[in-house]
Structure formats: structure tokens, C-alpha cells
Amino acid sequence: MAQYTTHDFDVLVIGAGGAGLRAAIESAALGAKTAVVMKSLLGKAHTVMAEGGAAAALRNADDRDSWETHFRDTMKGGKQLNFFRMAELHAKEAPDRIRELEEWGAVFDRTPNGLINQRNFGGHTYPRLAHVGDRTGLEMIRTLQDKLVHMAAEIFMETTVTHLFKTSDKICGCLTYSRVTGEFHLFRAKAIVLATGGGGKAFAITSNSWEYSGDGQALAWRAGAELMDMEFIQFHPTGMVWPLSVRGTLVTEGVRGEGGVLLNKDGRRFMFDYIPEAFKNDVAATEKEAEQWVAEVAAGKLATVRRPPELLTRDVVARSIRAEVQAGRGSPHGGAFLDIATRRTAADIQRKLPSMYHQFKQLANVDITKEPMEVGPTCHYMMGGVKVQAENGMSTVSGLFAAGEVAAGLHGANRLGGNSLSDLLVFGRRAGWGAAEYAKTASAPSVNEAEVAKAIEENLASLSRKGGENPYAVHKDLQDMMQDNVGIVRTEDELKQALGALDELEKRVDNVSVEGARAYNPGWNLAMDLRSLIVISRAVTLAALERRESRGGHSRIDFPSYDKKYSKVNHVLYNQNGQMALRADALPEVSPELKPFVEEA
Amino acid sequence: MPRTVKMKVFRGEKGEGAIHDYNVHIDDGMVVLDVIHRIQATQAPDLACRWNCKAGKCGSCSAEVNGKPSLMCMTRMDSLDLEKPITVEPLMTFPHVRDLVTDVSWNYTVNKRIKPFKPKAKEADGTHRMFQYEVDRVQEFRKCIECYLCQTVCHVLRNHGKHEEFAGPRFMIRTASLEMHPLDVEDRVPFIKEEGGIGFCNITKCCTEVCPEHIHITDNGIIPMKERVADRYYDPIKMLFRVLTGK
Ligand SMILES: Cc1cc2nc3c(=O)[nH]c(=O)nc-3n(C[C@H](O)[C@H](O)[C@H](O)COP(=O)(O)OP(=O)(O)OC[C@H]3O[C@@H](n4cnc5c(N)ncnc54)[C@H](O)[C@@H]3O)c2cc1C
Ligand code: SF4
Ligand code: SF4
Ligand code: FES
């Protein structure tokens, strides 16, 4: 008989980043019996690492801004593949969500007249990102966690979900294990909110931590929920490239927001050579115009000219850096130079970008107030994820909700910087509300014991298996394979190879053995994460194969431009008797009042 | 320069265990956490440690490197004397769980005892006004990544085990960040004196020295809070006033 402890809740939130915490706050405030589980300790989720800021049309730094402009920018950045209703709700509600954080104790940087200050970021027409130096995520997660701990919600740290359960097609609970003891816990819940973040650990070069194995997307898919837009992966243009051990670690876009420029090895400011047609009118035509923009912004004035091309959307900048490197004009360690030292005073840099200063000084022996940084693309964010309803975050499975990076729809083919932190607040709250409302009328959940026993057996298999492979070796091979074949640029052949390789890797995952016991055993934990990584890697590859065009975070060498055929479809991945199947869904038609703000793509 | 180093890593459970030796090949620019990961991947897959960001932002990877409480992800191997073996041990001040992992839950319990933020009413135009100069200090304290290195080195906790009576430097500045918040109207001076036990701190500044966020824990946080406590409880004129008015 398998041993486990059972807990009962109305709403169980999986994940304690911004989305999960905001969902739990809402659910608890509405009186639902709420719990939050997470893989790490409270306050350590990915959200803590976010640097640049949270986008909201507060109109504090530039009153020409409006929710309509934010909506337009988000759709344009997403190449019009976004669920327009999500982009609309997000643009309308983000300002209130940010002000609410202030009401809960957050201390954002201030404008000269004492309001929340806002900075420029790629793809945003006006300075829009509420921020705290370059540690905005820390401020956000701390504020939310301190709010939640004083509410009636239970918190289970280092507790990882491995299986979701359903009865008569409705969600009814999940199996977890405690990292510390290795013991199993069953949570019965009327509603579950997935707020598990992304899956960047499928790639070799990434800004993501060990937690990002795509568990939420995989759990949802296995439970029969649909995934969407999985081909779109954001490769952030500026990750560290050297030393090798920190390759992939993020360099905030805030560096460029503060005036940093990208140079190739010949000192040429190459972004002027890569401005796409659709953005020609939005960016400076000359270095002189770009300089003027930086001077105005640095002086705290409203910009009267167009922004530098370094602030084009991330997909464009990442591809441009890659092209320079391919053409033999890269920096010594295979990236580009990012220079802020010659643009701003040392004092400004240390005040505006303190953690970047620190990070380079400590990890790379580079003083960014004196020398340029070396940067290159790094896997950063998944635009795709669980397909949800805009209003309440419910997936296609009753009682299963999703919010934050694990959900799809808001960002379309490419996410604008700063739109994630605001996404977490807007849709975290909505999913928390949706789950609490749903739980009100849902019946008390019961979970089939045989299913629990089977799930536990699956989890324990790697511990009892002898002579199998080392999970770390399998993980490394998966990451290298995905990086090579499904990375920043893709081709039909490589994607097909990847599908074959995934079949092989899946077999290897099913044959890993781990040493030691269950208590705090990272090898065993990784063995379980690998199962999720296979699911999301397959979803990304299948969707990428099917989209024979280039758009946003999906670039095909064999189909380098937009194709109208794909301009109004989302790829949906669903579970067909345990196999992953794909279908193309037509995008919802944009409502007439919003039509004026969207452009053809 | 790539080379092989000798690592001495504490392995065991609930305080029972021993130092294990590992010979590890290291490359340029590696930090201690990279070496621990390399041991995991190639020699000891069940070696337990915590980490998340690998960039000094989450405060997960605290351990004692050559006896010094440090963030493993920000300690470069080339900053250590590689001629000698490098020891890596769990934080001494908290109950041991396994290998490099300790039970830091006490810190969460202390945090929960601090009264939450309570804002004053908004201005007539629906905003809160605060000026940068008013929030600089609070922002300094809010940089804290909860690595608990300061808690680990503070002798009141480390050597005297006063976990019941003293909240520790992390929560001194957490309380200070709320008390100095321009919008906050709550009163936590009694807390920091009584439950928080600020009197135990004798300003050795070891906490400030170890803080990876360079927060001036003692000068900017603890000393001003000690002054507030003194003003409230020991100022003879105010005490007389309180006796006379009953406040
Ligand atoms: C370095 C970096 C900088 C960034 N900067 C910005 C920025 O400036 N602006 C911006 O808008 N965005 C930024 N982003 C993106 C943004 O931070 C993330 O997309 C966002 O924080 C994700 O939040 P989340 O709540 O969805 O998930 P997370 O914060 O990642 O939280 C996920 C939670 O789910 C838990 N979890 C996962 N799987 C399981 C499981 N199986 N069982 C139990 N729990 C589980 C995890 O433990 C964790 O608590 C940045 C990202 C990175 C990596
Ligand atoms: S200054 Fe006070 S709090 Fe800091 S280490 Fe010394 S005694 Fe502890
Ligand atoms: S105050 Fe500094 S040392 Fe203490 S927990 Fe915070 S960041 Fe760590
Ligand atoms: S891993 Fe985040 S601080 Fe070291």
C-alpha cells in the first residue's frame, strides 16, 4: 500500500511566483480555503529575478500614454497573434494592479513629483515600466508574499506536483512530494490554479533556473487540457556569454532602456542595419536622432524624437546579434558588445543598474562603467502554454486554471519586456477569482486511490531501477539537442530530426536510475522533471514544424518571412489517447471598437 | 586556467555526517556553485544543495565556503586559494537537513510576527505621493534577498542560540523598512524592543560585512531603531510625560 498524507482545499495554487501569489491572495480574500505549493522556498520563484519592470499605462512619466496604446504595442509586438481580449484586459487593468502593490507596501522608484516612475523598454511607445532599479521582481514577490502570509492561506514550501487527477472530467486533486523528506502528499481540491512558469530548462543556453521544466504545461496536457502557441520561444537578445559557467544569465533590457548600444567587433552600431519594414516609422533613422532620444530621456524630459533601434522587439534584436556573429563580426566569445560605459556617467550606471554592475564585476571581472559587456541570445520565456479563457483563466479542463508564464494568449508570437510582470498581476488575480468562484459550486472532490498508487509507483521507479542512465546526462543531451535543432533559428530537417531524437530521449528518460534515498535528492527530483521536459519539447517542436513561416519568437531559415496563411491561426496541441496531436485554430475576430488599434501582420 | 581542485564537501543528514573529498576539474570563471553542480552531475547525483538564479538575486545558495558564510553562486573559484582544498559546509546557525541544505523555516516564522504594512489614506487625487529622497533608505533595506547570511554570522544566534529572543539582523532591517516607510502608520517599536530583542545586538557589524546586497544593516537600520526604542522607553522627559498623561 502506497503511503501518503491527504489534505483538502477549495483552491490549490501550484506555484508561488507573481501569478501564483496574486491568485492565492484573491482566492483567500474571497473566502475559499486556499493553499499554495511550490518547488523552492517562498520568495525564490523566477519572479524574484525579474529586473527591468512591470508595464502599465500609468501615465506618470509621459501622459501621452493610454491603455489603448499599450494594447496596440502588445498586439504589434505579438505580431497580432495575441488573444485580443487578454491584451485588452491586461492593458486596462495593469495600472490598478500596480497601484494596488503600492497600497500593499511596494516602493517603486519615484518621479520628481512623487509618483511611481516609469522607464522605456523595447516595443513600448512611451516610458511605461514601473520599476525599482533593476530588481523589480524582488520588490513584487516580496510585497505579494508579505501580503499573503498575513491571510488565511496555507503555504507548502519545497512541495512539487507530479500528477493531476480528475473525476468525471473535472479536476479533483494532485499528487506532490516533499523535497525535504521525499514523502508523498495528496491534495484534494475543487479547483487548481497552475502558476508554474515556463520551461527554459529544455535549452542549453537559458536564463531560467532548475525549476523551469515546464511542469505546468506537461501536467495540463496530460490531464487533457490544450496547449497553444508553443512554437514561440523568446530568446532574449542579451544574455551573458562569458565566462562559460554564466552563459545565458540575463542582462536586463534596462541597459538599452537607459541608452546602452550594441556594437560589433568593428565598433559598428549594427542595429541600424536590421530595422524591419513594419517598424521603420517607430525608430530613429540616424545615430544623431537616437542620441537625442537618449539625451532627452536621461534628462527626464519627454522624448520628442524616435527611439534607438536597440529598443526594437526582442525577436528582432536577438536575430540581428546572431546574424552579426554568423557573419564573423561577433565579439571574442561569440556575442556582441553592449556598451553603456561611454553613454552614461559611472554614477548613473551604478544607481540605475546596480545589480548589473555587481553581476558583471563579480562574475566576469568586467566593470560596466568602464568597459562594454559581451552579450548574446539566451532562452528566456515561453509565449505559449495552457490555452485559457481571458476572463477567468480556466483551461479546457473544468476546474483547471492557469495564469502567468504557464498560460498562453496574452503575448502572441512575442512578448514585450515588462508585460510579464503585469500579466502575473492581472491574470493571477483573475484566475484566483475564477477558481474561487468555480469552487463555490463544485462538489467535494474524491480521488481514485488506485490512480494515486500508480502515480506514486511511477515516481519511485527511477529509485529502484538498477543500471539505468544518469538523469543529468540525459538532461544535458536533451538541452543540447533542443538548442541545436529547435533553437533561435529552425529548419524543416532539423525539426524532423528533433522529433526522432525526442522519441529516443523519452525512452532514455524512462530508463534513468538514481542513487540514494528520497530525502532531498536532486537526482531523483530531476528524473521526475525530465518527464515534463520531454512533453514540452515535443510540443514546441511539433508546433514549430507546422508553422512554415517566421514570426516573432519562431524563425525558420527555410521560410524567412511572414506568410499570410499563418497570420490568423494559433497552433493548438491536444492529447489524443496519450499521443500529442496538433490542430490550427482560427484567431478570434478582434472586436470592432479595438479594430483601429490593430495593424495587419 | 583549467585545473583540478580538491573539494571537501559536508555530506550527511540531520547533522550526522562527514566531509567527503572530491577531485574536480574546473574551467575559467567558475563559481563554487558550478563546482557543486559538476560533482552532482558526474560523481554524486544525490548531493543536496539549494539554488535558483545563479546570479545573486534569490538568496537560495548560502553555504559556508572555507568557513565563511557566502553565496555559492557569487563566489568565484579564482578568488580562493586553490592550492589548498576548498571546504563547503551547510550554514551552522540553522538545523541541518541534508548535505548543504539547512532548515531555514524559523526565519519565515519570525517574519510573520512582524505587523504588516498599514498605509495611510490616499491623497485627494487618489495617489500616494512619496519622494525619492524619502524612500532611498527603505529601498536599501528592501534590496534584501533573504539569503540569511547575516542571520548566520550574528553571534547572538550563531554562538548563543537566542532564536527565541532575538529576531536577527534580517528582521531588524525588515522592521526598519516598515517603520521608515513614508506611508506606514503602524507602530512596531514595542515589537522590536520586546519580541525582536534589539537589545541583544551589541553592534559588532558582522552582519553588515557579510551582506551580499551591501545593506548597511547596522548603521542605517539597527542603530536608528535602537534610538527609536531609547527615545520611547528611556527618554526621561518623555517617560515623565507618559506617567503624567497616561499615554
Ligand atoms: C532573469 C529574468 C529577468 C526577467 N525580467 C523581467 C522583467 O523585467 N519584466 C517582466 O515583465 N518579465 C521579466 N522576466 C519574466 C518574468 O520574470 C517571468 O516570466 C515571470 O516572473 C513568471 O512568473 P510566474 O508567476 O508565471 O512564474 P514563476 O515566478 O516562475 O513561479 C513559478 C512557480 O511555480 C512553481 N512550480 C513550478 N513547477 C511546479 C511543480 N511541479 N509543483 C509545484 N510548484 C511548481 C515554482 O516553484 C515557482 O514557485 C524575467 C525573467 C527572468 C528569468
Ligand atoms: S551588529 Fe548586531 S545584529 Fe549584526 S551581527 Fe552584530 S550583534 Fe548581530
Ligand atoms: S540583509 Fe543582507 S545578508 Fe541579511 S538576509 Fe538580507 S541580503 Fe542576506
Ligand atoms: S542561486 Fe540565487 S543567490 Fe545564489
Side-chain angles (χ1 to χ4, degrees):
Chain A
M1 199 36 229
Q3 294 284 308
Y4 58 89
T5 314
T6 305
H7 309 262
D8 281 294
F9 290 96
D10 294 334
V11 174
L12 179 73
V13 179
I14 308 179
L21 292 172
R22 188 61 190 84
I25 288 169
E26 198 66 14
S27 165
L30 293 169
K33 189 177 177 220
T34 304
V36 195
V37 298
M38 65 212 77
K39 279 170 126 171
S40 292
L41 296 172
L42 183 60
K44 312 294 183 195
H46 247 79
T47 301
V48 80
M49 301 171 216
E51 295 162 355
L58 291 162
R59 310 170 70 232
N60 291 349
D62 193 328
D63 66 5
R64 292 171 294 183
D65 204 3
S66 63
W67 76 260
E68 289 91 341
T69 314
H70 192 183
F71 171 79
R72 175 184 156 271
D73 291 347
T74 302
M75 295 293 293
K76 187 168 185 181
K79 321 296 170 201
Q80 314 298 338
L81 274 195
N82 327 50
F83 269 12
F84 80 90
R85 179 65 179 150
M86 289 179 86
E88 176 190 0
L89 289 171
H90 171 253
K92 281 182 175 161
E93 294 177 6
D96 280 347
R97 297 286 79 75
I98 296 291
R99 284 190 282 260
E100 180 176 74
L101 285 185
E102 186 166 77
E103 193 67 17
W104 295 345
V107 186
F108 291 100
D109 287 355
R110 316 308 295 176
T111 63
N113 54 5
L115 296 172
I116 296 172
N117 200 1
Q118 296 179 274
R119 69 156 52 114
N120 286 290
F121 239 53
H124 294 282
T125 305
Y126 299 110
R128 191 176 281 148
L129 271 68
H131 61 274
V132 188
D134 52 7
R135 56 163 193 89
T136 314
L138 170 66
E139 187 68 16
M140 205 164 112
I141 203 165
R142 213 54 98 227
T143 304
L144 293 170
Q145 107 191 46
D146 283 326
K147 172 83 182 162
L148 184 69
V149 296
H150 292 289
M151 298 181 76
E154 281 191 58
I155 292 164
F156 296 84
M157 298 199 272
E158 302 194 305
T159 299
T160 304
V161 177
T162 62
H163 295 75
L164 295 179
F165 302 114
K166 290 193 296 185
T167 36
S168 39
D169 286 335
K170 294 191 172 69
I171 219 72
C172 61
C174 63
L175 179 70
T176 70
Y177 67 87
S178 151
R179 201 164 154 82
V180 173
T181 62
E183 283 161 9
F184 294 107
H185 293 256
L186 174 70
F187 287 80
R188 287 191 297 224
K190 293 176 182 166
I192 288 185
V193 180
L194 294 169
T196 50
K201 273 291 170 198
F203 294 86
I205 301 175
T206 175
S207 65
N208 293 178
S209 86
W210 69 274
E211 292 197 305
Y212 263 29
S213 49
D215 293 357
Q217 293 85 340
L219 288 164
W221 176 79
R222 285 213 198 86
E226 293 177 349
L227 306 181
M228 187 177 89
D229 291 342
M230 291 296 286
E231 62 269 48
F232 300 112
I233 305 266
Q234 181 163 81
F235 289 87
H236 193 291
T238 60
M240 293 175 80
V241 295
W242 193 91
L244 276 186
S245 69
V246 291
R247 190 162 194 144
T249 298
L250 194 76
V251 180
T252 177
E253 186 166 323
V255 176
R256 284 168 286 140
E258 298 297 341
V261 297
L262 287 163
L263 305 170
N264 66 16
K265 80 172 200 297
D266 309 321
R268 180 176 172 80
R269 199 168 163 186
F270 58 84
M271 278 312 299
F272 282 100
D273 308 333
Y274 295 93
I275 303 168
E277 243 348 277
F279 289 89
K280 276 255 150 52
N281 298 326
D282 300 348
V283 289
T286 61
E287 286 202 34
K288 189 156 167 273
E289 186 177 355
E291 301 286 287
Q292 188 184 337
W293 184 91
V294 173
E296 287 175 351
V297 167
K301 296 195 199 121
L302 294 189
T304 60
V305 293
R306 294 168 299 180
R307 59 193 32 231
E310 279 81 7
L311 289 175
L312 280 159
T313 55
R314 290 176 176 177
D315 50 333
V316 176
V317 182
R319 275 196 302 271
S320 311
I321 294 177
R322 187 181 177 279
E324 284 296 303
V325 175
Q326 293 272 303
R329 295 189 293 267
S331 65
H333 300 97
F337 290 110
L338 173 60
D339 174 41
I340 183 89
T342 64
R343 308 268 132 187
R344 301 290 291 265
T345 64
D348 269 1
I349 296 169
Q350 292 204 29
R351 192 168 52 83
K352 290 283 188 176
L353 303 161
S355 80
M356 281 306 108
Y357 173 73
H358 198 59
Q359 181 175 314
F360 272 90
K361 190 99 191 175
Q362 205 123 340
L363 297 175
N365 272 339
V366 167
D367 180 346
I368 68 167
T369 66
K370 299 204 175 79
E371 309 156 73
M373 299 160 246
E374 262 189 86
V375 296
T378 179
C379 172
H380 186 54
Y381 187 90
M382 295 185 90
M383 269 67 74
V386 181
K387 185 179 164 201
V388 294
Q389 293 170 30
E391 264 69 16
N392 64 2
M394 184 136 92
S395 72
T396 50
V397 167
S398 285
L400 184 63
F401 298 76
E405 188 169 343
V406 68
L410 170 61
H411 308 293
N414 173 60
R415 173 180 72 95
L416 296 187
N419 268 2
S420 171
L421 291 185
S422 42
D423 169 11
L424 310 182
L425 297 170
V426 169
F427 293 103
R429 171 174 162 276
R430 284 185 164 270
W433 164 78
E437 280 294 312
Y438 174 92
K440 274 187 193 159
T441 56
S443 46
S446 72
V447 179
N448 179 329
E449 276 195 30
E451 281 183 46
V452 180
K454 184 162 169 280
I456 289 178
E457 198 181 307
E458 271 176 40
N459 287 346
L460 293 176
S462 63
L463 279 165
S464 50
R465 191 177 295 120
K466 294 281 167 275
E469 265 195 274
N470 175 345
Y472 295 93
V474 180
H475 185 207
K476 179 165 189 307
D477 288 351
L478 171 70
Q479 290 184 300
D480 289 343
M481 189 285 287
M482 288 296 287
Q483 185 80 35
D484 290 347
N485 295 322
V486 197
I488 179 163
V489 293
R490 303 158 175 177
T491 66
E492 190 89 4
D493 283 350
E494 286 173 348
L495 290 167
K496 285 190 172 145
Q497 272 175 34
L499 283 180
L502 281 170
D503 290 338
E504 284 308 307
L505 283 157
E506 181 162 19
K507 288 189 201 131
R508 291 172 63 191
V509 167
D510 290 338
N511 187 41
V512 295
S513 319
V514 295
E515 281 174 34
R518 277 153 64 176
Y520 228 109
N521 183 343
W524 179 47
N525 304 158
L526 174 62
M528 290 181 274
D529 291 349
L530 282 173
R531 300 185 305 217
S532 306
L533 284 166
I534 293 284
V535 173
I536 59 154
S537 300
R538 182 165 287 130
V540 173
T541 311
L542 278 172
L545 191 57
E546 209 49 40
R547 187 172 285 277
R548 292 182 178 84
E549 66 158 355
S550 292
R551 186 182 296 266
H554 168 69
S555 305
R556 293 276 304 245
I557 296 183
D558 38 1
F559 301 97
S561 40
Y562 287 160
D563 184 338
K564 279 266 179 263
K565 196 171 126 204
Y566 297 100
S567 65
K568 293 220 164 14
V569 295
N570 298 108
H571 287 148
V572 170
L573 297 137
Y574 59 100
N575 187 334
Q576 197 171 41
N577 308 319
Q579 297 296 312
M580 193 174 279
L582 181 141
R583 146 185 116 228
D585 276 5
L587 261 176
E589 191 65 28
V590 176
S591 64
E593 25 350 322
L594 293 174
K595 270 265 159 66
F597 307 109
V598 300
E599 298 152 32
E600 283 295 303
Chain B
M1 223 193 337
R3 57 182 293 172
T4 299
V5 293
K6 187 173 222 92
M7 301 293 291
K8 290 182 160 300
V9 182
F10 184 85
R11 307 263 346 239
E13 246 173 273
K14 303 205 172 81
E16 307 279 320
I19 295 280
H20 286 225
D21 289 355
Y22 300 95
N23 290 317
V24 192
H25 174 82
I26 63 163
D27 303 308
D28 272 353
M30 275 173 96
V31 293
V32 174
L33 184 62
D34 293 318
V35 181
I36 295 295
H37 282 158
R38 191 161 279 182
I39 297 174
Q40 263 183 349
T42 56
Q43 305 183 45
D46 64 336
L47 169 59
C49 75
R50 282 198 185 99
W51 69 282
N52 284 74
C53 67
K54 225 172 145 309
K57 295 197 169 72
C58 73
S60 303
C61 65
S62 307
E64 309 205 349
V65 178
N66 286 345
K68 182 172 179 259
S70 321
L71 293 180
M72 288 192 283
C73 72
M74 296 302 273
T75 308
R76 279 175 67 116
M77 289 300 286
D78 59 16
S79 72
L80 305 168
D81 177 1
L82 299 179
E83 295 307 317
K84 299 199 191 109
I86 312 291
T87 36
V88 188
E89 294 164 288
L91 300 180
M92 211 180 92
T93 308
F94 303 113
H96 186 231
V97 174
R98 186 160 185 270
D99 301 344
L100 301 177
V101 174
T102 54
D103 176 2
V104 294
S105 59
W106 169 77
N107 293 287
Y108 289 90
T109 315
V110 175
N111 185 41
K112 208 172 160 172
R113 293 211 296 261
I114 301 172
K115 284 193 197 155
F117 175 69
K118 190 165 147 194
K120 64 181 181 199
K122 289 187 176 161
E123 318 260 326
D125 65 357
T127 65
H128 281 305
R129 301 261 163 178
M130 293 187 270
F131 295 93
Q132 191 61 45
Y133 70 86
E134 293 179 294
V135 299
D136 278 341
R137 186 54 39 84
V138 177
Q139 286 189 330
E140 177 191 352
F141 299 151
R142 291 181 68 91
K143 284 196 310 196
C144 170
I145 57 172
E146 299 207 322
C147 64
Y148 309 128
L149 291 177
C150 57
Q151 306 286 78
T152 308
V153 293
C154 175
H155 68 103
V156 182
L157 300 170
R158 190 179 178 94
N159 304 330
H160 305 291
K162 299 255 180 240
H163 295 66
E164 290 302 315
E165 293 136 281
F166 182 52
R170 157 61 187 136
F171 298 105
M172 294 291 134
I173 58 147
R174 162 112 180 91
T175 311
S177 77
L178 288 161
E179 285 296 292
M180 296 180 193
H181 194 305
L183 302 180
D184 182 76
V185 295
E186 187 58 86
D187 176 15
R188 300 171 195 80
V189 174
F191 165 84
I192 207 162
K193 173 173 183 287
E194 304 298 339
E195 276 182 82
I198 196 168
F200 281 104
C201 164
N202 57 348
I203 322 189
T204 59
K205 303 198 183 182
C206 312
C207 49
T208 304
E209 273 166 35
V210 81
C211 176
E213 287 294 313
H214 307 295
I215 301 170
H216 296 93
I217 303 175
T218 13
D219 289 354
N220 291 349
I222 297 181
I223 292 173
M225 289 312 291
K226 276 178 178 277
E227 282 164 5
R228 288 189 191 197
V229 169
D231 281 353
R232 174 83 61 92
Y233 292 93
Y234 309 113
D235 182 321
I237 296 169
K238 284 198 186 143
M239 275 213 289
L240 183 65
F241 175 76
R242 268 200 297 275
V243 170
L244 294 177
T245 61
K247 275 193 183 157

